[in-house]
Amino acid sequence: SSGINAEYGGLLEVHFVTKTSTVTATAILSNAALVCGHCFLDESLCKKQEPRVVDLFLKHAKAEKGLAIQQNAAIALARLAQASIPLLERLRETRGLEVLHSRI
């Protein structure tokens, strides 16, 4: 089964409680990051996010599991940072700008 069971900085996390392969789980996360990246084209939505949402996307941008998930998470991070000074500051604090430069 799957469900939405937590809110993380205004962004809903979807937790899958299924027996999926690593490839499938990576594809799911990659697609979720892609969708978020598209949603973050709306600056007003970006400004509603708490700075800790940067940590979530940064974790996946740093991952070594697949190029698509890294790029999609990095794109979402870049859009968040462009729209919100607090999110840009959090990205700087976590040395995420270096990750963005290596992924995009």
Side-chain angles (χ1 to χ4, degrees):
S1 68
S2 64
I4 299 173
N5 51 351
E7 188 170 329
Y8 187 94
L11 177 72
L12 292 177
E13 286 185 276
V14 180
H15 298 276
F16 293 92
V17 190
T18 59
K19 293 181 180 178
T20 59
S21 68
T22 302
V23 173
T24 303
T26 300
I28 291 168
L29 289 171
S30 179
N31 288 335
L34 178 67
V35 169
C36 289
H38 286 293
C39 291
F40 294 150
L41 287 170
D42 179 352
E43 286 189 18
S44 65
L45 180 61
C46 293
K47 291 179 181 180
K48 293 178 184 176
Q49 302 303 310
E50 293 181 19
R52 63 188 177 151
V53 76
V54 169
D55 301 336
L56 176 68
F57 284 104
L58 190 56
K59 172 186 168 187
H60 295 296
K62 289 180 177 179
E64 297 181 24
K65 292 186 176 181
L67 189 58
I69 188 169
Q70 292 169 335
Q71 288 181 334
N72 292 342
I75 289 167
L77 276 172
R79 290 183 177 157
L80 286 167
Q82 285 178 333
S84 170
I85 298 296
L87 299 180
L88 175 60
E89 290 302 318
R90 180 65 185 155
L91 195 60
R92 283 186 181 134
E93 290 170 7
T94 57
R95 298 186 183 254
L97 291 175
E98 292 87 354
V99 175
L100 287 185
H101 289 297
S102 68
R103 299 294 187 245
I104 298 179

